[in-house]
Amino acid sequence: MALLHYLSYVGSIAAFLFMTLSLASGLLYISELIEEYSRPAKLIGQRGTYLVIALHVLLYMFDSFPLLQILFSILCHAVYLQNFSSTWPLISLSSFSFMASCVLAVANHFTWFLYFSRISREVRHSYSRHRGPVTETPGFADIATFFGTCVWLVPLFLFLSLSANDNALPTSGSFADFMGEKIFTDSPTGVGSSPGSNASPPRVNSSLFKSMFGMLWRGGSAKSASVASNGLIAPPSPASARQPTMHSPPLGPPPRTPTRRVTGDEDHAHEEKQGCPHRALIFRVAETASQVVVEFLPADEVSLSSAVRATNRVVKGSLGLISVENDIFLAVVTTATEVGNTRLSQSTPERVARIHEVQFFCLTSSAWDDFSSSQETLATYDSVDALVSREAFPSTPSPPVFEHPCMPLTKILSSGSFYYALDPCWDISSRLSVRLTRGDSSQYDVGIFDDRFIWNEYVVKSLLDFREKLDPGERQDLDRCQFIILAIQGYVGVFTMALPAPPVSGAPVIVTLSLISRLGRKRAGTRFNTRGVDDDGNTANFVETETLLSTDQHCMSYTQVRGSVPLFWEQQGIQTFGQRIQITRPHASQPAFERHFAQLIDEYGAVHAINLLGSKENEATLTTAYANHLNRARSLWSDQLGITHYDFHYAVRTAGHDSIIRDIERLKSVNDRMERFGYTLADALTGELITEQGGVFRTNCLDCLEWIHSGSLWTHHRELWAENGDALSRIYAGTGALNTSYTRSGKRTLAGVLSDATKSVSRAYINNFQDKGKQVAIDMFLGNLSNQTQVNIFDPVHDTVRRALEERVSEYSTTRWCHLFVGTWNVNGRPPSESLQPWLFPRDGAPDMFVLGFQEIVLLNPQQIVQTDPEKKRAWELKLMEAINGRPQKSNDYVLLRSEQLVGAALFVVVKSELTAVIRNVEGASKKTGLRGMSGNKGGTGVRLDYYDTSFCFITAHLAAGHSNVTLPCSRPNNVVWLADTNYRIDLDNDSVRSLAERGEFDPLIAVDQVLSTLSWVYKSSSKPIDDREAFVGYEEGPLLFPPTYKYDVGTNNYDTSDKMRVPAWTDRILFKGKLDLAVYSRAELKGSDHRPVFGLFRTQVRVIDAVKKAALSRLLLEAVLAAASGEKLDDKIASLVLPNETIDLPLPSTDESCWWEKLDSHDGRLVISPAYVETPPSNPFDSSGSSPLSSPSSSDEELYSRAADLSRLPAPMSPTPLNSRGIPRTEYL
């Protein structure tokens, strides 16, 4: 074993590199390299296989390996060599060489496994008989090296080549068709077309690696397919990073000096021949950030003498304007191909184009002009053609120093999954029945669309607003240019065929079969990052699929939808094949659930859900919750809403895929509704609706990826449906759909099984390690990021109205009092052992919301850190709800709105049940801080929510002890509350702290408290903060009028008497900022832990915006601005405008002759009194004044609190005036 032993040293290094590459996404990188450099990779693979065969011979000669096993292994590698064919790395999964390689790889593994097992048994037997080894035996490193090189090295290389093919961008069509013809031709609509009206789009065999780093080997910009006559033109600019901004008068017309221009065709004759007006659309930077000036001018009024062309690519149109990293970019489509005409018989065609390339050009800076060439190499057919046909490969590519800030957006938009309607325009976002209901298609307005499916609605909104303000003639010219593109994401497939000839005419009937899937944008994202429903009723992965069948006489449309289970659920952490599901708001999902189905019923009519979830533990939990919510919702819609549960995976396991259709056909609930719902049928010539579909099936499984469909399974429809499934699966999960081999052929094959296995592995990797970056890019494009600002076009009139609305928010909104109970407790890993009501209800009254943070809810040992036990959290959750809903004389019921856990830190938000309908946008997140962010033993978790139109953020944390804690507060919410075990201490010796605490002398302890030293407004002259970063700058805390809460002997009132003798400290704190009034800040005397729980009672006003009043005020202000005369003071005119008074006048006072109540209506002998006549006095103790129970003489905490407030020259805490609006300077407590 000498040779193998020496090789083991090299093998150890190789194993280390392999593990490193596995953790750092290196294997995917290698697979992409294999695809990009296929010829060198093929040569390396072949010669490497020969080397492995030679190594077998050497091992036989020098290490006496058995001959039979050596010959068998050499035979296996000879078969492996057959996969390196002329089409490599394209390997047919159904080929004999591939299937034989799979079988032989496994057989070779077990052959050598049994050999080494026999050797090990013989060595153990020899050792037991002779008390020592008698033969030289291979060690673990030797055996691992042999398996890594002689058994699995070549199969791994082949597997990576398969992965390279799976990582290609989603395409359709054949590679041979692509190689056979050029597909980019200049056309009047800016879209290249291939021969035949219904030709499939060509296949793009371009990997993500080339898409991301295609510029590495090009050494500069790629040549365009053709020198187009139109494009993007910009004036020459210096190398400065930013152009000077243009200053315009507030209400005057903007100057006409462009900094960026998008022009039409420069050939007047060609343009007029195509019916396009010769105009120019001009963009330039405005004075205000995130604002641009846009003009639509005749081209002869624009001078291009000092301009340079920013790109030679044909500009098909614009997707809109977006602000990225403080720069404004214009997104333009530069490459698209025509998919086909979805209604071939129509006099007005409805053609669709597929977007293949989108580029972003900066309007505010010239710094990114040089990066436009790198975008042009992304996923273009010409670059693929050059890649396949070139003979030489550059040896030393030079990577760019910077990446274009819009590169993540470019990757998504250039993925081949976006489509738009071609000229003449039609609404691709709406199904046939909706389009026909609107009337004459020639009067189509680009501003009318279904905003559920237009993915660039956020970035194109400013251009649509600009279009609406143009004169009718200019607006028509802009529409004829088709510069504004409205894009959907999903799939569009078209197939034209000839049916058998009817007996009358003898001529075949030409039929166009089209499939259009529209992916919803309102809860868009990737697989593990976007699940369930949001508060507005939008579900993840929602798709409307419409099947169109057109003849020369009729057009038939059938629509079905799918989407995630409409509950609040998610999957956090690393997800493999056993996916962990958490229903985050089990008792607060009903309002959102009902909103979802209300939207579906309003849009489609009746809805019947088909739930394909299985009987596994996680899926069964979702199924049960789904059924319970739907049963409660049936009372609202009766027979308009139904559900059928069908265990799809169980049916496949027991009877195969063939049983699915038979089972569905036997389901009476499904068949009855299929007949009842019907389909849409229209006259092809007149466009008149004959019948309209009266309902829709809503299908879901766990991921909504592998789903069935109803209707006839035609051969061409099978192919379209399989392509549709693959396209939608790639968007959501990163790989093609599973079971597509059955969808295409109607049977399961070995190649299909192997393909599904490969997809499952790739999907698990992509979803866990790559989708987070993709999710951020999707949110950026859709405008969902919290720090994002929408680009708007300079409009002094509407800008004036917008500013006036912001200043007069009180006129179209009201406020309501909200009362919060906030508590924190470090429970030291102990289960609940005493009643929590003394802590949760220290005073009379029922708060609107309980926010409870726990630390060390589990013991912080390695086992819990690696895999936290959820049962401890459930135990505390049950105890909390029992205490809250089990209190005597309760007047309200409470539900758990949201709970979050990070190892020992847990946060519970409990609200009154009637408030669940007005609390929206509830989100949770966690942050690890232990071991530099890798461990959750220290860290925090938070919940953000909107109560009416006021936002709150609650954070509980368990921070590390010491002098280096820095906290990261929530951004953007109106109110933020920290409830945490801060682990901050008192900088004083142990004896002094204990003595002062026992005597109740807290002032000297407060002076050296570490938390208060970080609150810069509390101690202007205090000791140096914990560090220079001042973790809690801007936060407030109530006066500390209670003893330190840490550390006690459990079950006693004695501070720590153990050997460590911990110094007492106020480690458990509640800090806040925003418009919050703190009424009580104290602790509860619960003894089940070495900490005492702390609580705070807050009240604040939440704002309720009346959207109708806001719109009315907006219209009133707009009319006033437009009607302003020359020289009139606009500010005074706007200030004098008021909304009409819509309040009910009170009746006249009663007299001896007439009483106001005599004029009231009666019902069953009872008077009906309007709420406007009667004002109910507040009953909540938080709203009362001196008679409040909170200010009773028996409560010493309130007296101490008021005395401390008086010392700091603050008014009493029960005053209804908000704390931050009193105008009194904040001073020291001491």
Side-chain angles (χ1 to χ4, degrees):
M1 297 294 177
L3 176 61
L4 187 60
H5 182 70
Y6 291 133
L7 287 175
S8 66
Y9 293 103
V10 181
S12 299
I13 299 175
F16 174 78
L17 293 175
F18 179 81
M19 293 300 297
T20 303
L21 289 174
S22 299
L23 294 174
S25 309
L27 296 182
L28 184 59
Y29 175 81
I30 293 174
S31 70
E32 291 168 337
L33 281 178
I34 291 173
E35 182 183 8
E36 300 310 313
Y37 299 95
S38 56
R39 294 182 182 179
K42 178 180 179 181
L43 187 62
I44 293 173
Q46 289 175 325
R47 294 183 178 179
T49 306
Y50 291 131
L51 286 176
V52 173
I53 293 175
L55 181 60
H56 280 77
V57 177
L58 293 176
L59 290 174
Y60 170 73
M61 296 172 60
F62 292 98
D63 287 351
S64 302
F65 272 59
L67 179 61
L68 291 179
Q69 283 88 337
I70 287 290
L71 291 177
F72 179 75
S73 188
I74 291 175
L75 173 64
C76 294
H77 284 78
V79 175
Y80 300 158
L81 281 170
Q82 305 309 310
N83 292 285
F84 294 98
S85 61
S86 58
T87 62
W88 193 88
L90 298 176
I91 300 176
S92 174
L93 300 182
S94 60
S95 64
F96 173 78
S97 60
F98 176 77
M99 292 188 291
S101 298
C102 294
V103 175
L104 290 176
V106 176
N108 194 31
H109 170 85
F110 283 102
T111 297
W112 289 108
F113 175 79
L114 295 174
Y115 167 74
F116 285 110
S117 298
R118 180 174 57 81
I119 293 295
S120 300
R121 286 196 304 270
E122 292 177 355
V123 169
R124 286 196 301 270
H125 180 68
S126 174
Y127 184 87
S128 62
R129 294 184 59 183
H130 303 283
R131 298 299 178 183
V134 296
T135 59
E136 183 182 2
T137 59
F140 172 78
D142 301 335
I143 297 175
T145 301
F146 177 82
F147 272 90
T149 54
C150 297
V151 177
W152 285 113
L153 181 60
V154 177
L156 176 63
F157 189 83
L158 294 174
F159 175 78
L160 291 177
S161 68
L162 288 177
S163 299
N165 294 325
D166 281 343
N167 287 324
L169 294 173
T171 58
S172 62
S174 66
F175 185 76
D177 293 338
F178 160 66
M179 294 300 297
E181 60 180 350
K182 292 289 185 180
I183 59 171
F184 289 130
T185 60
D186 296 333
S187 63
T189 60
V191 179
S193 58
S194 56
S197 60
N198 60 328
S200 300
R203 179 180 178 91
V204 185
N205 192 26
S206 175
S207 73
L208 297 180
F209 176 82
K210 180 176 66 59
S211 302
M212 295 167 58
F213 304 105
M215 69 289 294
L216 294 182
W217 55 77
R218 295 198 179 271
S221 61
K223 293 183 179 180
S224 181
S226 60
V227 179
S229 59
N230 58 349
L232 202 65
I233 298 177
S237 57
S240 60
R242 186 175 295 274
Q243 300 281 357
T245 58
M246 307 302 297
H247 298 272
S248 302
L251 290 176
R256 293 185 175 181
T257 304
T259 59
R260 289 291 186 272
R261 296 189 184 95
V262 177
T263 71
D265 200 326
E266 294 177 1
D267 186 354
H268 292 233
H270 173 74
E271 202 167 59
E272 295 298 334
K273 181 179 179 181
Q274 299 300 330
C276 297
H278 190 63
R279 284 182 169 270
L281 196 61
I282 303 173
F283 296 83
R284 71 171 175 275
V285 184
E287 180 180 1
T288 309
S290 298
Q291 193 174 66
V292 297
V293 177
V294 181
E295 293 177 283
F296 189 54
L297 302 175
D300 53 11
E301 295 184 12
V302 181
S303 174
L304 302 179
S305 58
S306 60
V308 295
R309 190 180 296 276
T311 179
N312 288 326
R313 306 300 294 273
V314 177
V315 175
K316 318 298 182 185
S318 173
L319 293 175
L321 295 158
I322 188 170
S323 177
V324 180
E325 298 180 3
N326 299 322
D327 283 322
I328 298 176
F329 293 87
L330 177 69
V332 295
V333 177
T334 55
T335 302
T337 55
E338 183 175 343
V339 176
N341 185 358
T342 59
R343 294 175 65 196
L344 193 61
S345 61
Q346 274 294 103
S347 58
T348 302
E350 294 184 349
R351 296 183 295 139
V352 180
R354 182 183 183 187
I355 297 174
H356 294 287
E357 185 178 7
V358 175
Q359 291 182 242
F360 290 83
F361 293 92
C362 188
L363 303 180
T364 54
S365 172
S366 60
W368 303 111
D369 287 353
D370 295 335
F371 283 76
S372 60
S373 61
S374 66
Q375 296 185 67
E376 292 182 8
T377 63
L378 179 66
T380 64
Y381 294 119
D382 299 302
S383 61
V384 176
D385 188 28
L387 175 66
V388 175
S389 61
R390 68 173 178 266
E391 297 297 330
F393 295 85
S395 57
T396 56
S398 56
V401 180
F402 302 104
E403 182 182 75
H404 195 286
C406 297
M407 184 58 71
L409 300 178
T410 305
K411 295 174 186 176
I412 292 176
L413 296 173
S414 302
S415 63
S417 60
F418 287 86
Y419 301 82
Y420 68 96
L422 288 177
D423 187 43
C425 291
W426 60 285
D427 184 10
I428 192 175
S429 67
S430 301
R431 61 193 185 276
L432 177 65
S433 59
V434 174
R435 300 198 303 272
L436 295 180
T437 303
R438 291 174 185 160
D440 187 4
S441 60
S442 63
Q443 303 299 322
Y444 167 69
D445 186 351
V446 72
I448 300 176
F449 53 85
D450 192 334
D451 67 342
R452 296 178 301 164
F453 304 119
I454 296 299
W455 271 64
N456 60 322
E457 191 270 344
Y458 172 78
V459 297
V460 82
K461 184 179 185 301
S462 57
L463 290 179
L464 291 176
D465 293 341
F466 170 79
R467 173 188 172 275
E468 288 297 319
K469 297 163 191 172
L470 294 175
D471 294 334
E474 293 179 324
R475 188 183 311 151
Q476 185 178 7
D477 287 346
L478 182 62
D479 291 345
R480 287 166 61 195
C481 294
Q482 202 184 4
F483 181 77
I484 299 177
I485 288 179
L486 302 180
I488 66 168
Q489 189 176 24
Y491 174 77
V492 178
V494 180
F495 198 94
T496 300
M497 67 194 109
L499 296 183
V504 179
S505 63
V509 177
I510 305 301
V511 174
T512 299
L513 179 64
S514 306
L515 193 67
I516 304 177
S517 284
R518 307 173 179 98
L519 178 63
R521 68 167 182 88
K522 292 193 174 182
R523 186 164 172 77
T526 52
R527 186 184 180 196
F528 290 148
N529 295 293
T530 308
R531 293 292 207 186
V533 72
D534 64 14
D535 289 284
D536 294 322
N538 305 306
T539 57
N541 201 21
F542 180 82
V543 180
E544 176 191 87
T545 298
E546 181 181 21
T547 303
L548 290 164
L549 185 66
S550 301
T551 67
D552 57 349
Q553 296 181 351
H554 297 96
C555 183
M556 187 272 289
S557 166
Y558 185 79
T559 303
Q560 53 190 312
V561 298
R562 77 180 196 187
S564 183
V565 178
L567 304 173
F568 291 106
W569 63 282
E570 62 186 29
Q571 291 174 280
Q572 295 183 350
I574 302 297
Q575 302 290 328
T576 54
F577 303 103
Q579 297 154 2
R580 301 182 296 275
I581 294 174
Q582 178 187 7
I583 300 180
T584 55
R585 294 159 64 179
H587 307 291
S589 295
Q590 195 67 34
F593 183 90
E594 293 174 359
R595 288 189 191 105
H596 173 70
F597 279 101
Q599 293 169 6
L600 294 184
I601 291 174
D602 182 65
E603 181 69 30
Y604 302 105
V607 177
H608 188 81
I610 300 180
N611 175 34
L612 303 180
L613 290 173
S615 56
K616 297 180 181 178
E617 178 184 359
N618 291 325
E619 295 187 14
T621 302
L622 273 180
T623 295
T624 302
Y626 194 179
N628 292 338
H629 280 74
L630 194 134
N631 287 334
R632 287 193 290 268
R634 275 203 180 115
S635 60
L636 300 175
W637 294 292
S638 184
D639 60 343
Q640 285 189 295
L641 180 61
I643 190 170
T644 296
H645 299 283
Y646 181 79
D647 192 338
F648 177 81
H649 298 289
Y650 175 79
V652 171
R653 286 196 308 269
T654 55
H657 285 78
D658 294 333
S659 66
I660 304 297
I661 303 302
R662 295 194 303 269
D663 292 346
I664 293 295
E665 290 175 348
R666 295 192 187 105
L667 295 174
K668 187 175 184 300
S669 59
V670 175
N671 277 331
D672 291 347
R673 283 164 178 80
M674 286 182 64
E675 296 179 2
R676 172 184 163 190
F677 293 166
Y679 52 87
T680 296
L681 184 65
D683 189 288
L685 299 177
T686 64
E688 180 182 355
L689 277 174
I690 300 174
T691 62
E692 187 173 358
Q693 186 172 337
V696 71
F697 285 98
R698 184 197 188 278
T699 312
N700 74 272
C701 59
L702 188 65
D703 296 310
C704 296
L705 298 178
E706 297 76 52
W707 55 307
I708 64 170
H709 65 285
S710 56
S712 300
L713 296 177
W714 307 324
T715 303
H716 300 305
H717 192 235
R718 282 181 181 271
E719 185 65 28
L720 284 178
W721 200 266
E723 293 290 338
N724 172 67
D726 279 339
L728 296 175
S729 180
R730 286 190 184 99
I731 294 171
Y732 189 60
T735 70
L738 306 184
N739 302 323
T740 52
S741 62
Y742 176 81
T743 306
R744 287 184 168 91
S745 62
K747 58 184 179 180
R748 295 285 285 175
T749 62
L750 176 60
V753 173
L754 295 176
S755 176
D756 289 348
T758 304
K759 290 174 183 176
S760 298
V761 174
S762 300
R763 184 179 292 180
Y765 174 81
I766 292 171
N767 297 159
N768 284 291
F769 300 105
Q770 292 186 334
D771 278 353
K772 288 186 178 179
K774 182 179 178 182
Q775 182 70 51
V776 173
I778 291 173
D779 289 336
M780 181 190 300
F781 185 67
L782 297 176
N784 295 334
L785 300 181
S786 60
N787 59 347
Q788 203 167 357
T789 303
Q790 189 171 21
V791 177
N792 58 80
I793 294 176
F794 176 78
D795 181 359
V797 173
H798 287 79
D799 289 346
T800 302
V801 173
R802 191 181 303 112
R803 287 193 299 268
L805 280 175
E806 293 174 355
E807 296 170 357
R808 301 173 63 166
V809 63
S810 60
E811 297 183 32
Y812 54 84
S813 65
T814 57
T815 58
R816 299 189 181 188
W817 284 107
C818 170
H819 302 91
L820 306 175
F821 176 96
V822 179
T824 180
W825 191 14
N826 185 318
V827 296
N828 196 26
R830 299 175 181 273
S833 59
E834 54 191 321
S835 175
L836 302 180
Q837 289 189 356
W839 176 37
L840 301 176
F841 297 97
R843 308 291 182 267
D844 294 336
D848 297 314
M849 191 182 309
F850 287 91
V851 182
L852 305 168
F854 291 88
Q855 302 80 42
E856 295 189 37
I857 202 169
V858 298
L859 293 175
L860 300 182
N861 53 43
Q863 179 182 357
Q864 292 291 345
I865 293 173
V866 173
Q867 187 174 8
T868 305
D869 181 10
E871 293 301 324
K872 299 291 183 67
K873 172 175 167 284
R874 292 196 188 103
W876 279 101
E877 180 182 311
L878 293 174
K879 188 70 174 181
L880 285 173
M881 298 308 299
E882 177 186 341
I884 293 174
N885 285 326
R887 69 192 187 283
Q889 300 178 352
K890 70 172 184 178
S891 57
N892 302 93
D893 288 325
Y894 289 83
V895 297
L896 179 65
L897 181 70
R898 180 70 185 251
S899 64
E900 286 288 322
Q901 182 179 10
L902 174 66
V903 188
L907 182 64
F908 302 90
V909 180
V910 182
V911 301
K912 290 180 178 178
S913 57
E914 62 265 26
L915 297 181
T916 56
V918 296
I919 296 178
R920 309 161 77 87
N921 301 325
V922 183
E923 300 175 359
S926 300
K927 176 67 176 179
K928 300 176 182 179
T929 61
L931 296 179
R932 297 182 178 270
M934 295 185 293
S935 173
N937 63 317
K938 301 296 181 185
T941 184
V943 171
R944 185 196 182 280
L945 57 90
D946 290 338
Y947 181 14
Y948 284 106
D949 295 292
T950 300
S951 55
F952 294 84
C953 182
F954 305 106
I955 305 171
T956 188
H958 189 194
L959 305 180
H963 289 238
S964 60
N965 289 324
V966 177
T967 54
L968 300 175
C970 282
S971 60
R972 291 299 179 108
N974 303 116
N975 304 289
V976 183
V977 181
W978 276 83
L979 46 152
D981 179 357
T982 63
N983 249 323
Y984 288 140
R985 306 305 171 88
I986 297 174
D987 290 331
L988 205 62
D989 63 275
N990 198 342
D991 293 336
S992 299
V993 173
R994 290 173 182 255
S995 176
L996 292 170
E998 290 174 359
R999 297 197 303 268
E1001 298 178 8
F1002 303 141
D1003 293 348
L1005 303 179
I1006 292 174
V1008 291
D1009 178 71
Q1010 292 178 352
V1011 170
L1012 294 182
S1013 66
T1014 67
L1015 303 178
S1016 57
W1017 64 271
V1018 176
Y1019 285 104
K1020 300 292 193 302
S1021 60
S1022 66
S1023 59
K1024 185 179 179 180
I1026 289 180
D1027 60 26
D1028 294 335
R1029 288 165 286 188
E1030 294 187 345
F1032 292 106
V1033 172
Y1035 283 83
E1036 308 175 31
E1037 186 185 24
L1040 296 172
L1041 305 177
F1042 49 88
T1045 57
Y1046 172 84
K1047 174 182 182 181
Y1048 286 90
D1049 293 335
V1050 178
T1052 72
N1053 289 323
N1054 302 323
Y1055 284 113
D1056 187 17
T1057 59
S1058 66
D1059 295 338
K1060 292 185 178 181
M1061 291 286 287
R1062 300 284 189 183
V1063 179
W1066 286 291
T1067 59
D1068 309 281
R1069 313 293 277 268
I1070 298 176
L1071 310 176
F1072 61 95
K1073 68 177 179 180
K1075 296 181 179 180
L1076 294 167
D1077 285 344
L1078 179 62
V1080 177
Y1081 186 37
S1082 186
R1083 77 176 200 177
E1085 298 304 323
L1086 300 184
K1087 304 175 183 179
S1089 171
D1090 56 358
H1091 291 249
R1092 292 292 187 264
V1094 174
F1095 66 90
L1097 302 180
F1098 293 88
R1099 74 170 187 171
T1100 185
Q1101 287 187 324
V1102 296
R1103 188 163 296 279
V1104 184
I1105 293 179
D1106 188 328
V1108 176
K1109 285 187 176 181
K1110 183 178 180 180
L1113 181 58
S1114 177
R1115 288 194 301 270
L1116 192 65
L1117 295 172
L1118 180 60
E1119 293 171 359
V1121 173
L1122 294 176
S1126 178
E1128 186 177 4
K1129 292 184 178 180
L1130 190 58
D1131 292 341
D1132 295 340
K1133 183 175 183 179
I1134 291 177
S1136 63
L1137 294 175
V1138 293
L1139 283 172
N1141 185 11
E1142 298 179 359
T1143 58
I1144 302 175
D1145 294 332
L1146 294 176
L1148 295 175
S1150 301
T1151 63
D1152 293 338
E1153 291 80 15
S1154 176
C1155 300
W1156 63 267
W1157 56 83
E1158 293 177 352
K1159 301 178 181 179
L1160 297 176
D1161 297 331
S1162 61
H1163 179 71
D1164 295 335
R1166 294 175 295 175
L1167 293 178
V1168 180
I1169 303 177
S1170 172
Y1173 296 171
V1174 181
E1175 182 179 358
T1176 304
S1179 58
N1180 196 305
F1182 289 97
D1183 291 332
S1184 58
S1185 55
S1187 60
S1188 171
L1190 291 177
S1191 58
S1192 60
S1194 61
S1195 177
S1196 60
D1197 286 340
E1198 286 77 10
E1199 295 174 0
L1200 291 173
Y1201 187 96
S1202 300
R1203 191 180 305 116
D1206 292 337
L1207 290 175
S1208 60
R1209 298 193 298 277
L1210 293 174
M1214 291 308 299
S1215 172
T1217 305
L1219 180 63
N1220 295 337
S1221 63
R1222 294 168 185 163
I1224 298 177
R1226 294 163 172 167
T1227 59
E1228 305 172 355
Y1229 278 121
L1230 300 179

